[in-house]
Amino acid sequence: MTTPADLDTDAARLRKAMTKALAEDGVLADPAWRQAVEKVPRHAFVPGFYLPGEERDGQGLTVWEPVTAELDRDRWLAAAYADTTLITQFDGEEPDWKAPAVRHGGAPTSSGTLPSLVVRMWADADVCEGHRVLEIGTGTGYSTALACERLGSSDVTSIEVDGRRLEQAADALYSLGYTPALAVADGLYGYWPEAPFDRIVAACSFRAVPPALLAQTRPGGKILLTLSGWLYGYARVLLTVTDDGAAEGHLLPGTVSFMSARTHAAPAFGNPAHWAAGLPETRRPARHDPERITAATKEAFHLRFLAQCAVPDAQMVTLGESVHLVDVVTGSAATLTPTEGTWQVRESGPVNLWERIEQVLTAYDAAGRPGPEAFALHVHDGGQRLRHPRMPDLPLPRP
C-alpha cells in the first residue's frame, strides 16, 4: 500500500528529473524560476485529467482516457511530471473524478498547461521581483503557484471565468500555503479591484487586445497574450503600455496556442453543405493553394494568423477534398475544390473570402516571407493594426 510519504518521495524524484530536463532544454535559465519549479508539486494541482488513447473510435473521434491516482497511480504521477498539457475539462462540464468515464471527442475547455510553456510565459513577460502581476486563466493553479513562489503571494492576482475550476485551484493553492488574490472574472475585462499591474499574462487567447487590460497596466508595464481567431491562427505578442494608454510590441517567435477566452470563441455556423449549396457555379483557378494555411508547418501556422486578420469572421472546415470558408457575420462563403492538379474557387456574399486571403499571401511572398517577429502590433485610438514595413497593415477585429 502506498503511503503519503511514498507519494511525496516519488513526486520529489520526478519533479527533480523534470526540472533537470527543462533546464537542459534552456527553459530554466533564470535560477529563480528553476527554484520555483523544483519546489511546487504539480501533482497537487491535477488530481484527475485526460490523456488521449492510442487509437480513435469507430467514428474517428479521439478516445480520452481518465487518469487519476486511484485508477493508475504510476501513470498519473508520471504524466503530472511530464512536460505535457493535461486536459482537465471538456465542453465546460466538470468531470466527476471519483467515478470518471472515458470520453469520445469533445472540445477541451480547461487544462494544465505544459510546464515549459508556463515558465516560458512568465519569463517572456519579463516578470521580476517587485512586480504586481495579473494572471488571466487560473486553470489548475499550477502556474499561479509558480508565480507566488517567485514573487510572493501578495503580488499575484489570478482570475478564472469558471467558478468550479477556480474552487479546485484555490483548494490546492491554499493547502500549500499560497494565498494570491483569486476571483471568478472574465479576462476580457481584467480585474479592476487589484489594478494597476506591472505585468498581465494571459493563459487564454483573445481575438484582439482587450482595452481594459491597457487601462489596468501601469505606463511602462507589459502585457503578454496570445491572439487567436476563428481560423485558429495564433500569434503571441508582448506589448508595452505607453503614458497615453496606447501600446506597441512585436509578435514573438514560435508556435504556441491557447484555448480561446470563452467570450471570444467561434460561433456555430451550421452545415457547410448548406452554405456551399448557395454558391454560384462560376469558378476560377486559385492563385494560392489552401495547403499554405492548413499544412502542419511553422510557416502555415504563421500564415493562418495573417490570413485570419484579413477575414476575421471566417471559419474553415475541410469535408472530403473540399475546403469551405464560412462567414456568419456577413453571410459570405467560399469553397475550394481540387480539379486536375489545381484548386478551383467559388465565392459568394459581400466579402470574397479566399480572394482576401490570397491578397495577404501574395503580399507576404513579395515581402520576402517575414517571420512573426518582423511584425509589430500597434494599439491606439481604439484601433489595433498589425504592421510590417513591406506589407499593407492588417487590422485586428474590434475587441
Side-chain angles (χ1 to χ4, degrees):
M1 179 178 178
T2 302
T3 66
D6 292 333
L7 176 61
D8 290 343
T9 298
D10 291 343
R13 173 178 53 81
L14 291 169
R15 188 162 61 252
K16 183 177 180 180
M18 182 185 76
T19 303
K20 180 181 178 182
L22 293 178
E24 291 175 346
D25 288 342
V27 176
L28 298 175
D30 185 333
W33 285 117
R34 176 166 183 161
Q35 184 177 357
V37 173
E38 287 176 339
K39 186 171 181 180
V40 176
R42 191 186 186 208
H43 71 278
F45 296 91
V46 284
F49 47 83
Y50 288 94
L51 293 177
E54 294 183 358
E55 297 182 0
R56 294 178 177 267
D57 67 9
Q59 295 181 315
L61 299 174
T62 299
V63 178
W64 293 96
E65 301 171 351
V67 182
T68 66
E70 291 72 21
L71 291 172
D72 189 333
R73 175 190 177 277
D74 291 344
R75 187 187 187 195
W76 166 73
L77 201 56
Y81 289 102
D83 190 28
T84 187
T85 293
L86 304 173
I87 306 300
T88 54
Q89 187 192 78
F90 287 90
D91 303 319
E93 300 174 357
E94 196 65 25
D96 178 5
W97 291 117
K98 294 181 179 179
V102 172
R103 290 191 60 99
H104 293 253
T109 48
S110 189
S111 67
T113 305
L114 65 163
S116 61
L117 179 53
V118 169
V119 176
R120 178 179 168 188
M121 293 288 286
W122 289 126
D124 285 347
D126 192 24
V127 173
C128 299
E129 289 80 359
H131 285 159
R132 287 182 53 78
V133 171
L134 171 64
E135 176 188 43
I136 298 174
T138 313
T140 66
Y142 174 68
S143 175
T144 317
L146 291 178
C148 290
E149 188 64 39
R150 171 68 188 271
L151 304 174
S153 296
S154 62
D155 283 333
V156 178
T157 298
S158 186
I159 60 175
E160 169 62 50
V161 72
D162 188 321
R164 296 164 299 176
R165 288 276 84 214
L166 187 68
E167 183 178 1
Q168 290 192 23
D171 287 344
L173 287 162
Y174 296 155
S175 70
L176 294 169
Y178 300 117
T179 57
L182 300 174
V184 177
D186 189 332
L188 188 65
Y189 305 103
Y191 197 62
W192 284 102
E194 296 292 328
F197 302 100
D198 298 290
R199 298 290 187 271
I200 295 180
V201 177
C204 60
S205 62
F206 296 96
R207 297 183 73 202
V209 182
L213 303 189
L214 300 179
Q216 294 173 29
T217 304
R218 288 192 177 99
K222 297 181 180 181
I223 302 171
L224 178 67
L225 76 165
T226 301
L227 299 170
S228 65
W230 298 347
L231 287 184
Y232 297 101
Y234 297 88
R236 288 196 312 149
V237 64
L238 180 62
L239 296 168
T240 299
V241 177
T242 58
D243 292 339
D244 60 358
E248 294 185 358
H250 281 79
L251 302 188
L252 300 180
T255 54
V256 171
S257 60
F258 277 105
M259 297 174 190
S260 295
R262 297 190 184 183
T263 46
H264 279 194
F269 58 81
N271 187 337
H274 296 168
W275 292 81
L279 292 172
E281 290 300 319
T282 305
R283 61 188 66 204
R284 66 171 177 84
R287 295 193 296 276
H288 294 277
D289 295 350
E291 287 98 334
R292 292 205 65 184
I293 64 172
T294 61
T297 64
K298 288 184 178 180
E299 184 179 59
F301 187 95
H302 173 45
L303 282 176
R304 192 154 57 248
F305 176 74
L306 299 182
Q308 180 176 271
C309 293
V311 288
D313 299 321
Q315 297 180 66
M316 180 172 58
V317 63
T318 299
L319 291 178
E321 294 185 327
S322 296
V323 177
H324 300 272
L325 290 165
V326 172
D327 182 337
V328 299
V329 176
T330 66
S332 304
T335 293
L336 292 96
T337 306
T339 304
E340 297 180 353
T342 63
W343 286 86
Q344 298 291 317
V345 185
R346 292 188 297 153
E347 296 175 292
S348 69
V351 179
N352 289 327
L353 299 176
W354 190 248
E355 183 177 339
R356 283 199 180 181
I357 291 176
E358 287 177 322
Q359 290 171 355
V360 171
L361 296 177
T362 297
Y364 169 80
D365 290 342
R369 299 188 172 188
E373 59 276 14
F375 290 82
L377 180 63
H378 297 254
V379 183
H380 56 89
D381 299 329
Q384 304 187 19
R385 306 186 75 82
L386 191 65
R387 291 176 176 170
H388 184 277
R390 297 190 300 277
M391 288 182 62
D393 287 0
L394 292 169
L396 269 62
R398 297 192 69 82

